[in-house]
Amino acid sequence: MTGSGFTGVKQPEFDTMAGKHTQAAGRLEQLAEALYGELQSAGVDTSPALRLRELAGRVGKQADDLRRRQALIREMEQQKVSFGTSTTAGSFMEMPDGLDAAQGLLDGTVAARAALLAVGGDAKALAALQKYAKRGNDPEFVRTFLRKLGAKGVTELPGSLAAQLRDGLNHGKSARVDQISTQSKQALRMLSAALAGGTDPKNKAYMGDDFLKQLVAQGRAEHTVGDVKYAGYQAQALIWGAHDGKPPFSGKFMETVGSDAVAYEKEQYKDRWAASKDALGQAVGGRQVPLFDLAAALGLGSLMKPGAAASSGKRVKATVVEDLLHAAGSGKEASQALLNHTPAGWKQSVLDHMLTTRLGAFDYTGNYGSFSKVLLAGATGQDATSKKLAAELTKSLADQVRGAFGKADDGNLKITDRAALDRLAPLRYPLARAMAANIDQLSSLLLNHATFGKADATDMSYALALATRDDAGFEALIRAQTEHMKAALDSVPPVGLEKSNLKALGFTEADLKTFDFDEDGRIGKADVAQFLVDNIVGEARPFGHLVEIRRQVMIAEGLDDKKVSEALQTMVRDTIGLIPVPGARQVGELATGAFGSLLTTQYDKVTGAGYDAAAKWAAGQVSEKGLNLDETHRNLADNRLAVERLAEQMIATAMLNKGMLNEVKAKGQPFMTGNPPTIKPFTKMTPEEYSRFLKWVNENARGRDLLERFRGTFRVTSEVDDYLDLQIPSSGANK
């Protein structure tokens, strides 16, 4: 008897069948051995015996399978997992066709029962649930577990565990608290994996849209355990906060449950938040208190946080939204789905809400980490949604930081609202990364008066005033602009391009017409030089904008940027790599391709906090030792010198790669090495060799002229003056 995904088995006939298969396998094996001996003694072909042995093996495997099914059926009967079906032919036990499915049905049912008993405070059931701690990624288990537990059980299990911990603390039962803490962490980790899989339409464990709606209903409902009352989302948040990213939560979950949790907090706290910002609230130091998760509300500290040492107290201020953001940060899809979603009845996206209405709540807890992680996951890619979110982030933070800056008496930038700047400081790095991923927009805004979403060049400039203050963020921006310039120079056609070699060199007739300035049908050195000039000047402007805004921000802080100057010096050494001899088609080992370096984990670490402390110390030294502002400005000039050296290397490489030095002899030069000879990597050149290399380029390919064109544009600060409403003093460094 068969059904959809199930087979009906009749007992005790099934037990008899399993036993007979086992006996048959043994007898066939004995017969195969006997036959093999007889055939071998007679000196005839033994293949019939070998075929019989293969048959015995197949029957043996079938017997093993039947015995496993037999054991599962008996346990399922014992646990009353399936009650069977009665027909005119007798009583049948329903058995899933796959053994994994059968095991999942059994374990999921038993685990769900244990979880429901644990909700009621059954200590033995909670201990029994530990057995299934690692089954959260098993689709067969998850489907059964969530179906039996239901959205109500999912919500109330962490609520009950939290209440039990609070009761244990109240009565000084330290051993019991330690035990429940360990068990609850394991349960929450399993629940988080199960919930992520069961709410993902692409996962085999998907429970359907109705289950998501039930989670929302339970999240908004008030629940009670003992004398503890809580909103369902406060308990569900403990599951989200326990997530380890495997499997990631889906966009569907974030749009349905996640965005509703954000909306719920706003609805519940709207009046309270408004009161904290009115005149009276500000007068008494009102703060924007958020909706805490249940562990924080009950003062449980990290007792329910997997991976953290068990400790109780009110120091951990975990909130429902921050737990949600932790879960959303497990993947790009979830991050973008949450940030880009506009809840029903709202006129703003969740991202806009986080950056404006809810920003004070982040400030209250001081926990921006999960928000930063979601921004990095959702707003730093090259897809359309990433760009949209990056544009919103840029515009929103530009609007907020604008009032924090003004013009000092000497015409430089000054800070006018330190509190506002400090409040936005944790968002500097994700903002910088989002802008770095869209570095082409900086050129477009400056050169073409374009817009980036709703942000214009002035907005971009103020956003950079925030972003470039972060050391790692500034480095990411400079690296991105470096890659952008390398890509621009790489688009320059090579000397000798003409109709006969267009296809071989990857160009079209339209390209030839565009690049052939003198219209002689061939790309010559004059054509390449003109195209290099156009690109070099175009790339110098955004470079200058980045470095001058960083410089102004550091002046406003009264700090120097020695640390970042050293980082740029490393970039100067490492950016280009191995350069080929003149005439080679490709440049050897360039740094990673345009924007590629921004996608590695190396640049995902926020390192600003450590430098903040060092910078404050440096500022104190300046004050104590009476160093004047000129000394600070002298240190600040290092970044400009480093960028000019980067440009120098890129220009020299472009001229080599595009054939500008094809007819120039390099044999015997001290900067050459190997056979066939190549130009040494810059990292291997001595200062004298590097100087000789530059002299060789400058004398033979207009290198000095091209660098001066870059420097002349790069050093102009008038655009920064205009966009930030400054009057930057003229100095030798600016000339």
Side-chain angles (χ1 to χ4, degrees), residues 118 122-130 133 157 161 164-165 176-190 303-304:
D122 189 323
K124 291 183 179 179
L126 180 59
L129 193 59
Q130 288 183 278
L157 177 57
L161 295 175
Q164 291 177 51
L165 283 169
R176 178 61 177 152
V177 167
D178 290 343
Q179 182 183 42
I180 297 176
S181 174
T182 299
Q183 293 171 338
S184 67
K185 289 176 181 179
Q186 293 177 336
L188 288 173
R189 182 57 60 82
M190 186 264 283
L303 288 174
M304 299 186 75

Side-chain angles (χ1 to χ4, degrees), residues 332 336 377-391 438:
K332 179 179 179 180
Q336 291 188 340
T380 59
Q382 295 296 301
D383 58 284
T385 302
S386 288
K387 290 179 178 295
K388 178 178 180 292
L389 293 172
N438 294 278

Side-chain angles (χ1 to χ4, degrees), residues 107 111 129-143 145-146 186-199 203 205 243-244 246-248:
D107 292 346
L129 193 59
Q130 288 183 278
K131 177 182 177 181
Y132 308 98
K134 296 182 179 180
R135 296 295 299 279
N137 288 303
D138 180 349
E140 305 294 347
F141 171 87
V142 168
R143 270 202 309 270
F145 178 70
L146 293 180
Q186 293 177 336
L188 288 173
R189 182 57 60 82
M190 186 264 283
L191 270 173
S192 70
L195 193 62
T199 56
N203 194 298
H243 193 50
D244 67 356
K246 299 176 183 178

